[in-house]
């Protein structure tokens, strides 16, 4: 079986980032790393907001409607 066919482990890269030693990085490299991580946070938040909006729209569409009193 190809590696591409197997499910990917989620969160593995983030776990590796938090355990990586930063001792060998220069200040410039650390600034670049911070900028990349901040960009990833923004990308992740944006995706989370889109997913929440999608879920809210689906809930509104498929949730049971309350009965209306006769007029």
């Amino acid at each position: 079986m190809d590696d591409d066919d197997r499910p990917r482990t989620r969160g593995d890269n983030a776990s590796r980032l938090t355990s990586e030693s930063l001792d060998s990085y220069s200040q410039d490299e650390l600034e670049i790393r911070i900028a990349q991580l901040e960009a990833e946070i923004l990308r992740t938040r944006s995706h989370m907001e889109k997913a929440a909006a999608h879920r809210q729209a689906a809930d509104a569409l498929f949730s049971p409607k309350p009965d209306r009193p006769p007029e």
Side-chain angles (χ1 to χ4, degrees):
M1 172 158 47
D2 287 352
D3 287 342
D4 293 341
D5 294 339
R6 289 188 229 162
R8 294 179 186 218
T9 305
R10 293 183 181 178
D12 192 45
N13 290 333
S15 297
R16 277 186 263 162
L17 278 175
T18 60
S19 64
E20 181 182 1
S21 173
L22 302 175
D23 294 340
S24 64
Y25 286 90
S26 70
Q27 288 184 339
D28 289 339
E29 290 170 327
L30 290 170
E31 288 292 335
I32 292 168
R33 181 183 174 106
I34 289 169
Q36 290 171 335
L37 291 170
E38 287 173 341
E40 179 61 12
I41 289 168
L42 290 174
R43 185 179 80 92
T44 304
R45 286 193 190 281
S46 175
H47 181 77
M48 188 172 68
E49 290 166 2
K50 288 176 188 174
H54 185 262
R55 173 65 186 255
Q56 193 173 25
D59 286 347
L61 182 63
F62 294 109
S63 64
K65 306 294 184 244
D67 291 334
R68 287 186 161 176
E71 293 180 19

